[in-house]
Amino acid sequence: ELILSVKQDLAESPSCVLRKAFFYFCRSAMLAFSRSFFKTHFLQTYMSLSQDKVATVRMEFAHSVVFIKPYLD
């Protein structure tokens, strides 16, 4: 399944660069998919990256919240 592949290849990648790329994917996904679809398939994974072991990933999460949060209200 494509959704699982995106989560595994980006959000769960051992590479912090790919984990940060997941945030860019999420920004685009919010524009392409409905809120409920995003919440169902990506929100939990997105939120889990707020606890990432790498500081730059956590910083990217903080920056991405500005773009994602308006769609979740």
Side-chain angles (χ1 to χ4, degrees):
E1 181 172 304
L2 185 58
I3 294 169
L4 182 60
S5 178
V6 167
K7 288 186 206 179
Q8 289 176 340
D9 294 346
L10 295 178
E12 298 170 9
S13 172
S15 167
C16 66
V17 174
L18 289 176
R19 291 194 307 275
K20 290 192 312 184
F22 182 71
F23 298 121
Y24 294 102
F25 169 82
C26 287
R27 289 180 195 175
S28 297
M30 289 302 301
L31 299 174
F33 305 125
S34 69
R35 290 179 190 182
S36 63
F37 183 87
F38 181 83
K39 287 180 181 180
T40 301
H41 297 286
F42 299 111
L43 184 60
Q44 183 177 0
T45 305
Y46 171 81
M47 295 302 293
S48 72
L49 289 173
S50 69
Q51 302 294 318
D52 197 87
K53 61 185 174 188
V54 178
T56 56
V57 175
R58 294 190 309 267
M59 289 291 293
E60 193 64 41
F61 171 82
H63 291 297
S64 72
V65 168
V66 173
F67 298 98
I68 301 294
K69 185 168 178 1
Y71 293 98
L72 302 178
D73 289 338

